[in-house]
Amino acid sequence: SASGDDHMSIAKKLRNRNATNLTRKFTHASFGIFFACLNQIIPRARFVPGMAVVTGTSLLMELLRYRSGFGWINGVLHFFLGKALRKHEMEGKFTGSFYYFAGVTATAYLYPQTAATLGILQLALADPSASYFGKMTRNVYWSRIENGLLGFGRNKGLLGFLGGALFCLPFNFRIFKMARWGAKGVPGGDSALLTASLLLGLAGAFA
């Protein structure tokens, strides 16, 4: 079909998920920071319904773009996102956008505004940095998680997770230091903040 030819011809121009793809990482981080800012600025009562509409629209797009007559959607995606797309995202699979929008929507709905914003920022910063460090250390075989841990982390690396966490540590520590902790200050002091900052980065890297 015409739509099939369209998306397969685009797929030939794209890299697979094993490529470093800095363009994708920059795009990922930029979108994450943008939506984190929106979550912090826009009242929750407006942001959550708005994100639900964005998520629903994204799902509809994913369901239609491989069907006959809707191949033009793939052309639009490639025009705007270019090399930020992965090969498998034009070979019948969903793009990461639907899962990302659904995650942002759920986070904004389930958690208080500030906590949700910090969580969205972790994904924006830790995930692409963990992926980058993982690619850079892929030949350090002892750190590889070949078969995953209970189904998670397949083909990832422990050094990648650690790199993503360390990348986020200064940012997280600064945010926690700026927070208001009451008259008694931070329970556990700076060591507790450093631990929390590292664990938060690890969570973002693992996601």
Side-chain angles (χ1 to χ4, degrees):
S1 67
S3 63
D5 292 340
D6 287 342
H7 73 80
M8 290 308 294
S9 63
I10 293 172
K12 293 176 182 178
K13 304 174 185 177
L14 303 174
R15 303 180 220 174
N16 62 36
R17 64 183 304 129
N18 293 322
T20 302
N21 202 338
L22 292 178
T23 300
R24 183 181 180 89
K25 289 169 177 50
F26 178 78
T27 303
H28 186 145
S30 299
F31 269 83
I33 293 170
F34 175 71
F35 280 101
C37 290
L38 289 182
N39 180 69
Q40 192 65 20
I41 295 170
I42 300 174
R44 185 171 180 271
R46 292 185 179 179
F47 182 74
V48 173
M51 283 306 305
V53 171
V54 171
T55 303
T57 303
S58 177
L59 176 59
L60 181 63
M61 175 199 74
E62 297 289 358
L63 294 173
L64 289 177
R65 67 190 181 92
Y66 292 117
R67 294 182 176 273
S68 179
F70 293 95
W72 58 271
I73 297 177
N74 297 306
V76 172
L77 285 174
H78 186 242
F79 178 80
F80 284 104
L81 297 176
K83 293 182 179 179
L85 291 167
R86 284 176 173 162
K87 181 181 289 289
H88 73 269
E89 292 174 331
M90 284 292 162
E91 293 179 330
K93 304 291 186 181
F94 280 16
T95 64
S97 61
F98 166 69
Y99 304 107
Y100 175 77
F101 292 144
V104 170
T105 304
T107 301
Y109 176 76
L110 293 171
Y111 298 99
Q113 186 181 51
T114 302
T117 298
L118 191 54
I120 295 168
L121 283 171
Q122 295 311 297
L123 190 60
L125 300 175
D127 185 65
S129 58
S131 176
Y132 175 78
F133 287 117
K135 295 292 190 303
M136 294 299 101
T137 58
R138 61 182 176 270
N139 292 324
V140 183
Y141 295 110
W142 63 262
S143 74
R144 307 307 297 172
I145 310 173
E146 294 298 340
N147 298 316
L149 297 172
L150 301 176
F152 296 97
R154 187 184 301 274
N155 294 323
K156 303 292 185 179
L158 294 175
L159 291 177
F161 291 136
L162 183 59
L166 290 175
F167 182 82
C168 289
L169 193 150
F171 171 80
N172 291 340
F173 185 75
R174 177 60 179 163
I175 294 296
F176 282 138
K177 289 287 283 186
M178 291 169 60
R180 297 176 182 176
W181 293 95
K184 294 184 178 180
V186 181
D190 284 355
S191 61
L193 290 188
L194 281 170
T195 301
S197 298
L198 184 63
L199 291 174
L200 197 57
L202 280 172
F206 194 72

